[in-house]
CSV table of all heavy atoms in Angstrom, one decimal:
chain,number,residue,atom,x,y,z
A,2,GLN,N,73.7,53.1,92.4
A,2,GLN,CA,74.3,52.2,93.3
A,2,GLN,C,74.3,52.6,94.8
A,2,GLN,O,74.9,52.0,95.7
A,2,GLN,CB,75.8,52.0,92.9
A,2,GLN,CG,75.9,51.4,91.5
A,2,GLN,CD,77.4,51.2,91.1
A,2,GLN,OE1,78.2,50.9,92.0
A,2,GLN,NE2,77.7,51.3,89.8
A,3,GLY,N,73.4,53.6,95.1
A,3,GLY,CA,73.3,54.0,96.5
A,3,GLY,C,74.3,55.0,96.9
A,3,GLY,O,74.3,55.4,98.1
A,4,ASP,N,75.2,55.5,96.0
A,4,ASP,CA,76.1,56.5,96.4
A,4,ASP,C,75.5,57.9,96.5
A,4,ASP,O,74.6,58.2,95.8
A,4,ASP,CB,77.3,56.6,95.4
A,4,ASP,CG,78.1,55.4,95.2
A,4,ASP,OD1,78.5,54.9,96.3
A,4,ASP,OD2,78.3,54.9,94.1
A,5,GLY,N,76.0,58.7,97.5
A,5,GLY,CA,75.6,60.1,97.5
A,5,GLY,C,76.2,60.9,96.4
A,5,GLY,O,77.3,60.7,96.1
A,6,LEU,N,75.4,61.7,95.7
A,6,LEU,CA,75.8,62.5,94.6
A,6,LEU,C,76.1,63.9,95.0
A,6,LEU,O,75.3,64.5,95.7
A,6,LEU,CB,74.8,62.4,93.5
A,6,LEU,CG,74.3,61.1,93.0
A,6,LEU,CD1,73.2,61.2,91.9
A,6,LEU,CD2,75.5,60.3,92.5
A,7,ALA,N,77.2,64.5,94.5
A,7,ALA,CA,77.5,65.9,94.7
A,7,ALA,C,78.4,66.4,93.6
A,7,ALA,O,78.8,65.7,92.8
A,7,ALA,CB,78.2,66.0,96.1
A,8,LYS,N,78.6,67.7,93.6
A,8,LYS,CA,79.5,68.4,92.7
A,8,LYS,C,80.5,69.2,93.5
A,8,LYS,O,80.2,69.7,94.5
A,8,LYS,CB,78.7,69.3,91.7
A,8,LYS,CG,78.1,68.5,90.6
A,8,LYS,CD,77.5,69.5,89.6
A,8,LYS,CE,76.9,68.8,88.4
A,8,LYS,NZ,77.9,68.1,87.5
A,9,ALA,N,81.7,69.3,93.0
A,9,ALA,CA,82.8,70.0,93.6
A,9,ALA,C,83.8,70.5,92.6
A,9,ALA,O,83.9,69.9,91.5
A,9,ALA,CB,83.5,69.2,94.7
A,10,GLU,N,84.4,71.7,92.9
A,10,GLU,CA,85.5,72.2,92.1
A,10,GLU,C,86.8,71.5,92.5
A,10,GLU,O,87.3,71.7,93.6
A,10,GLU,CB,85.6,73.7,92.3
A,10,GLU,CG,84.4,74.5,91.7
A,10,GLU,CD,84.4,74.5,90.2
A,10,GLU,OE1,85.5,74.5,89.6
A,10,GLU,OE2,83.3,74.5,89.6
A,11,ILE,N,87.3,70.7,91.6
A,11,ILE,CA,88.5,70.0,91.8
A,11,ILE,C,89.5,70.5,90.7
A,11,ILE,O,89.4,70.3,89.5
A,11,ILE,CB,88.4,68.5,91.6
A,11,ILE,CG1,87.2,67.9,92.5
A,11,ILE,CG2,89.7,67.8,91.9
A,11,ILE,CD1,87.5,68.0,94.0
A,12,GLN,N,90.5,71.2,91.2
A,12,GLN,CA,91.5,71.8,90.3
A,12,GLN,C,90.9,72.7,89.2
A,12,GLN,O,91.1,72.4,88.0
A,12,GLN,CB,92.4,70.7,89.8
A,12,GLN,CG,93.3,70.0,90.8
A,12,GLN,CD,94.3,69.1,90.2
A,12,GLN,OE1,94.3,68.8,89.0
A,12,GLN,NE2,95.3,68.7,91.0
A,13,THR,N,90.0,73.6,89.7
A,13,THR,CA,89.3,74.5,88.8
A,13,THR,C,88.4,73.9,87.8
A,13,THR,O,88.0,74.5,86.8
A,13,THR,CB,90.3,75.4,88.0
A,13,THR,OG1,91.0,74.6,87.0
A,13,THR,CG2,91.4,76.1,88.9
A,14,ARG,N,88.0,72.7,88.1
A,14,ARG,CA,87.1,72.0,87.2
A,14,ARG,C,85.9,71.4,88.0
A,14,ARG,O,86.1,70.7,89.0
A,14,ARG,CB,87.8,70.9,86.4
A,14,ARG,CG,86.9,70.1,85.4
A,14,ARG,CD,87.6,69.0,84.8
A,14,ARG,NE,86.8,68.1,84.0
A,14,ARG,CZ,87.1,67.0,83.5
A,14,ARG,NH1,88.4,66.5,83.6
A,14,ARG,NH2,86.3,66.3,82.8
A,15,SER,N,84.7,71.6,87.5
A,15,SER,CA,83.5,71.0,88.2
A,15,SER,C,83.5,69.5,88.0
A,15,SER,O,83.5,69.1,86.8
A,15,SER,CB,82.2,71.7,87.7
A,15,SER,OG,81.1,71.1,88.3
A,16,GLN,N,83.4,68.8,89.0
A,16,GLN,CA,83.4,67.3,89.0
A,16,GLN,C,82.2,66.7,89.7
A,16,GLN,O,81.8,67.2,90.7
A,16,GLN,CB,84.7,66.7,89.6
A,16,GLN,CG,86.0,67.1,88.9
A,16,GLN,CD,86.3,66.1,87.8
A,16,GLN,OE1,85.5,65.3,87.4
A,16,GLN,NE2,87.5,66.1,87.3
A,17,ASN,N,81.6,65.6,89.1
A,17,ASN,CA,80.6,64.8,89.8
A,17,ASN,C,81.3,63.9,90.8
A,17,ASN,O,82.3,63.3,90.4
A,17,ASN,CB,79.9,64.0,88.8
A,17,ASN,CG,79.0,64.8,87.8
A,17,ASN,OD1,78.4,65.8,88.2
A,17,ASN,ND2,79.0,64.4,86.5
A,18,LEU,N,80.8,63.9,92.0
A,18,LEU,CA,81.3,63.0,93.0
A,18,LEU,C,80.4,61.9,93.4
A,18,LEU,O,79.2,62.2,93.5
A,18,LEU,CB,81.7,63.9,94.3
A,18,LEU,CG,82.7,65.0,94.1
A,18,LEU,CD1,83.0,65.6,95.5
A,18,LEU,CD2,84.0,64.5,93.5
A,19,TYR,N,80.9,60.7,93.6
A,19,TYR,CA,80.1,59.6,94.1
A,19,TYR,C,80.7,59.2,95.5
A,19,TYR,O,81.8,58.8,95.6
A,19,TYR,CB,80.2,58.4,93.1
A,19,TYR,CG,79.7,58.8,91.7
A,19,TYR,CD1,80.6,59.2,90.8
A,19,TYR,CD2,78.4,58.6,91.4
A,19,TYR,CE1,80.2,59.5,89.5
A,19,TYR,CE2,78.0,58.9,90.1
A,19,TYR,CZ,78.9,59.4,89.2
A,19,TYR,OH,78.4,59.7,87.9
A,20,ILE,N,79.8,59.4,96.5
A,20,ILE,CA,80.3,59.2,97.9
A,20,ILE,C,79.5,58.2,98.6
A,20,ILE,O,78.3,58.4,99.0
A,20,ILE,CB,80.2,60.6,98.7
A,20,ILE,CG1,80.9,61.7,97.9
A,20,ILE,CG2,80.9,60.4,100.0
A,20,ILE,CD1,80.7,63.1,98.4
A,21,ALA,N,80.0,57.0,98.8
A,21,ALA,CA,79.3,55.9,99.5
A,21,ALA,C,79.1,56.3,100.9
A,21,ALA,O,80.0,56.8,101.6
A,21,ALA,CB,80.1,54.6,99.4
A,22,GLY,N,77.9,56.0,101.4
A,22,GLY,CA,77.6,56.3,102.8
A,22,GLY,C,77.0,57.7,103.1
A,22,GLY,O,76.6,58.0,104.2
A,23,ALA,N,76.9,58.5,102.1
A,23,ALA,CA,76.3,59.9,102.2
A,23,ALA,C,74.9,59.9,101.7
A,23,ALA,O,74.6,59.2,100.8
A,23,ALA,CB,77.2,60.9,101.5
A,24,LEU,N,74.1,60.7,102.4
A,24,LEU,CA,72.6,60.7,102.1
A,24,LEU,C,72.2,62.1,101.6
A,24,LEU,O,72.9,63.1,101.9
A,24,LEU,CB,71.8,60.4,103.3
A,24,LEU,CG,72.0,58.9,103.8
A,24,LEU,CD1,71.2,58.7,105.1
A,24,LEU,CD2,71.5,57.9,102.8
A,25,PRO,N,71.1,62.2,100.8
A,25,PRO,CA,70.7,63.5,100.3
A,25,PRO,C,70.4,64.5,101.4
A,25,PRO,O,69.9,64.2,102.5
A,25,PRO,CB,69.4,63.1,99.6
A,25,PRO,CG,69.5,61.7,99.2
A,25,PRO,CD,70.3,61.1,100.3
A,26,GLY,N,70.9,65.7,101.2
A,26,GLY,CA,70.7,66.8,102.2
A,26,GLY,C,71.8,67.0,103.1
A,26,GLY,O,71.9,68.0,103.9
A,27,GLU,N,72.7,66.0,103.2
A,27,GLU,CA,73.8,66.0,104.2
A,27,GLU,C,74.9,66.9,103.7
A,27,GLU,O,75.2,66.9,102.5
A,27,GLU,CB,74.3,64.6,104.5
A,27,GLU,CG,73.3,63.7,105.2
A,27,GLU,CD,73.9,62.4,105.6
A,27,GLU,OE1,74.8,61.9,104.9
A,27,GLU,OE2,73.4,61.8,106.6
A,28,THR,N,75.6,67.5,104.6
A,28,THR,CA,76.8,68.2,104.3
A,28,THR,C,77.9,67.3,104.9
A,28,THR,O,77.9,66.9,106.0
A,28,THR,CB,76.9,69.6,105.0
A,28,THR,OG1,75.8,70.4,104.6
A,28,THR,CG2,78.2,70.3,104.7
A,29,VAL,N,78.9,67.0,104.0
A,29,VAL,CA,79.9,66.0,104.4
A,29,VAL,C,81.3,66.5,103.9
A,29,VAL,O,81.4,67.3,103.0
A,29,VAL,CB,79.6,64.6,103.7
A,29,VAL,CG1,78.3,64.1,104.1
A,29,VAL,CG2,79.8,64.7,102.2
A,30,ARG,N,82.3,65.9,104.5
A,30,ARG,CA,83.7,66.0,104.1
A,30,ARG,C,84.1,64.7,103.4
A,30,ARG,O,83.8,63.7,104.0
A,30,ARG,CB,84.6,66.4,105.2
A,30,ARG,CG,84.6,67.8,105.7
A,30,ARG,CD,85.6,68.1,106.7
A,30,ARG,NE,87.0,68.0,106.2
A,30,ARG,CZ,87.8,67.0,106.5
A,30,ARG,NH1,87.5,66.1,107.4
A,30,ARG,NH2,89.0,67.0,106.0
A,31,ALA,N,84.7,64.8,102.2
A,31,ALA,CA,85.1,63.6,101.5
A,31,ALA,C,86.4,63.9,100.8
A,31,ALA,O,86.7,65.0,100.5
A,31,ALA,CB,84.0,63.2,100.6
A,32,GLN,N,87.1,62.8,100.5
A,32,GLN,CA,88.3,62.9,99.7
A,32,GLN,C,88.3,62.1,98.5
A,32,GLN,O,87.9,60.9,98.5
A,32,GLN,CB,89.5,62.4,100.6
A,32,GLN,CG,90.9,62.5,99.8
A,32,GLN,CD,92.0,62.3,100.7
A,32,GLN,OE1,92.2,62.9,101.7
A,32,GLN,NE2,92.8,61.3,100.4
A,33,THR,N,88.6,62.7,97.4
A,33,THR,CA,88.6,62.0,96.1
A,33,THR,C,89.7,60.9,96.1
A,33,THR,O,90.8,61.2,96.5
A,33,THR,CB,88.8,63.0,94.9
A,33,THR,OG1,90.0,63.7,95.2
A,33,THR,CG2,87.7,64.0,94.8
A,34,VAL,N,89.3,59.8,95.5
A,34,VAL,CA,90.3,58.6,95.5
A,34,VAL,C,90.4,57.9,94.2
A,34,VAL,O,91.4,57.3,94.0
A,34,VAL,CB,89.8,57.6,96.6
A,34,VAL,CG1,90.0,58.2,98.0
A,34,VAL,CG2,88.4,57.1,96.3
A,35,ALA,N,89.4,58.0,93.3
A,35,ALA,CA,89.5,57.2,92.1
A,35,ALA,C,88.6,57.8,91.0
A,35,ALA,O,87.7,58.6,91.3
A,35,ALA,CB,89.1,55.8,92.3
A,36,LYS,N,88.9,57.5,89.8
A,36,LYS,CA,88.0,57.9,88.6
A,36,LYS,C,86.9,56.9,88.5
A,36,LYS,O,87.0,55.7,88.7
A,36,LYS,CB,88.9,57.9,87.3
A,36,LYS,CG,88.2,58.3,86.1
A,36,LYS,CD,87.9,59.8,86.1
A,36,LYS,CE,87.2,60.2,84.7
A,36,LYS,NZ,86.8,61.6,84.7
A,37,ARG,N,85.7,57.4,88.1
A,37,ARG,CA,84.6,56.6,87.8
A,37,ARG,C,83.7,57.2,86.8
A,37,ARG,O,83.1,58.3,87.1
A,37,ARG,CB,83.8,56.3,89.1
A,37,ARG,CG,82.5,55.5,88.9
A,37,ARG,CD,81.8,55.1,90.2
A,37,ARG,NE,80.4,55.0,90.0
A,37,ARG,CZ,79.6,54.9,91.1
A,37,ARG,NH1,80.0,54.9,92.3
A,37,ARG,NH2,78.3,54.8,90.8
A,38,GLY,N,83.6,56.6,85.6
A,38,GLY,CA,82.7,57.2,84.6
A,38,GLY,C,82.9,58.6,84.3
A,38,GLY,O,84.0,59.0,84.0
A,39,ASP,N,81.9,59.4,84.6
A,39,ASP,CA,82.0,60.9,84.3
A,39,ASP,C,82.4,61.7,85.5
A,39,ASP,O,82.2,62.9,85.5
A,39,ASP,CB,80.6,61.4,83.8
A,39,ASP,CG,79.5,61.2,84.8
A,39,ASP,OD1,79.7,60.4,85.8
A,39,ASP,OD2,78.4,61.7,84.6
A,40,GLY,N,82.9,61.0,86.5
A,40,GLY,CA,83.2,61.8,87.7
A,40,GLY,C,84.3,61.1,88.6
A,40,GLY,O,85.1,60.3,88.0
A,41,LEU,N,84.2,61.3,89.9
A,41,LEU,CA,85.3,60.8,90.8
A,41,LEU,C,84.6,60.1,92.0
A,41,LEU,O,83.6,60.6,92.5
A,41,LEU,CB,86.1,61.9,91.3
A,41,LEU,CG,86.9,62.7,90.3
A,41,LEU,CD1,87.6,63.9,91.0
A,41,LEU,CD2,87.9,61.9,89.6
A,42,VAL,N,85.2,59.0,92.4
A,42,VAL,CA,84.8,58.4,93.7
A,42,VAL,C,85.5,59.1,94.8
A,42,VAL,O,86.7,59.4,94.7
A,42,VAL,CB,85.2,56.9,93.7
A,42,VAL,CG1,84.9,56.3,95.0
A,42,VAL,CG2,84.5,56.1,92.6
A,43,ALA,N,84.7,59.4,95.8
A,43,ALA,CA,85.2,60.1,97.0
A,43,ALA,C,84.9,59.3,98.3
A,43,ALA,O,83.8,58.8,98.4
A,43,ALA,CB,84.7,61.5,97.1
A,44,GLN,N,85.9,59.2,99.1
A,44,GLN,CA,85.7,58.5,100.4
A,44,GLN,C,85.1,59.4,101.5
A,44,GLN,O,85.6,60.5,101.7
A,44,GLN,CB,87.0,57.9,100.9
A,44,GLN,CG,86.9,57.2,102.2
A,44,GLN,CD,88.3,56.7,102.7
A,44,GLN,OE1,89.3,56.9,102.0
A,44,GLN,NE2,88.3,56.0,103.8
A,45,LEU,N,84.1,59.0,102.1
A,45,LEU,CA,83.4,59.8,103.1
A,45,LEU,C,84.4,59.9,104.4
A,45,LEU,O,84.8,58.9,104.9
A,45,LEU,CB,82.1,59.1,103.6
A,45,LEU,CG,81.3,59.9,104.6
A,45,LEU,CD1,80.8,61.2,104.1
A,45,LEU,CD2,80.1,59.0,105.0
A,46,LEU,N,84.7,61.1,104.8
A,46,LEU,CA,85.5,61.4,105.9
A,46,LEU,C,84.7,61.7,107.2
A,46,LEU,O,85.1,61.3,108.3
A,46,LEU,CB,86.5,62.5,105.6
A,46,LEU,CG,87.5,62.2,104.4
A,46,LEU,CD1,88.4,63.4,104.2
A,46,LEU,CD2,88.3,61.0,104.7
A,47,GLU,N,83.7,62.6,106.9
A,47,GLU,CA,82.9,63.1,108.1
A,47,GLU,C,81.6,63.5,107.6
A,47,GLU,O,81.4,64.1,106.6
A,47,GLU,CB,83.7,64.2,108.7
A,47,GLU,CG,82.9,64.9,109.9
A,47,GLU,CD,83.6,66.1,110.4
A,47,GLU,OE1,84.6,66.6,109.8
A,47,GLU,OE2,83.1,66.7,111.4
A,48,VAL,N,80.5,63.2,108.4
A,48,VAL,CA,79.2,63.7,108.2
A,48,VAL,C,79.0,65.0,109.1
A,48,VAL,O,78.9,64.8,110.3
A,48,VAL,CB,78.1,62.7,108.5
A,48,VAL,CG1,76.7,63.3,108.3
A,48,VAL,CG2,78.3,61.5,107.6
A,49,ILE,N,79.1,66.1,108.5
A,49,ILE,CA,79.0,67.4,109.2
A,49,ILE,C,77.6,67.7,109.7
A,49,ILE,O,77.3,68.0,110.8
A,49,ILE,CB,79.5,68.5,108.4
A,49,ILE,CG1,81.0,68.3,108.0
A,49,ILE,CG2,79.4,69.9,109.1
A,49,ILE,CD1,81.6,69.2,107.0
């Protein structure tokens, strides 16, 4: 669906993140907001 894909440790568990507006290779800050399939939707906060 065009979301940026990433992995992060959330509460000691590796989670798949789906971040709308993020592109491959970018380092970003995002905040998890909702459950989606096998991972979490995260809101893009900043493109570092």
Side-chain angles (χ1 to χ4, degrees):
Q2 299 180 31
D4 296 311
L6 304 179
K8 282 186 176 291
E10 291 290 326
I11 307 292
Q12 294 188 346
T13 71
R14 180 184 173 188
S15 179
Q16 293 272 16
N17 294 320
L18 299 185
Y19 301 93
I20 309 172
L24 295 176
E27 292 185 332
T28 301
V29 304
R30 285 184 64 250
Q32 179 171 303
T33 55
V34 294
K36 180 73 176 174
R37 174 174 151 190
D39 62 346
L41 300 174
V42 175
Q44 180 182 1
L45 181 64
L46 300 177
E47 178 187 2
V48 178
I49 300 171

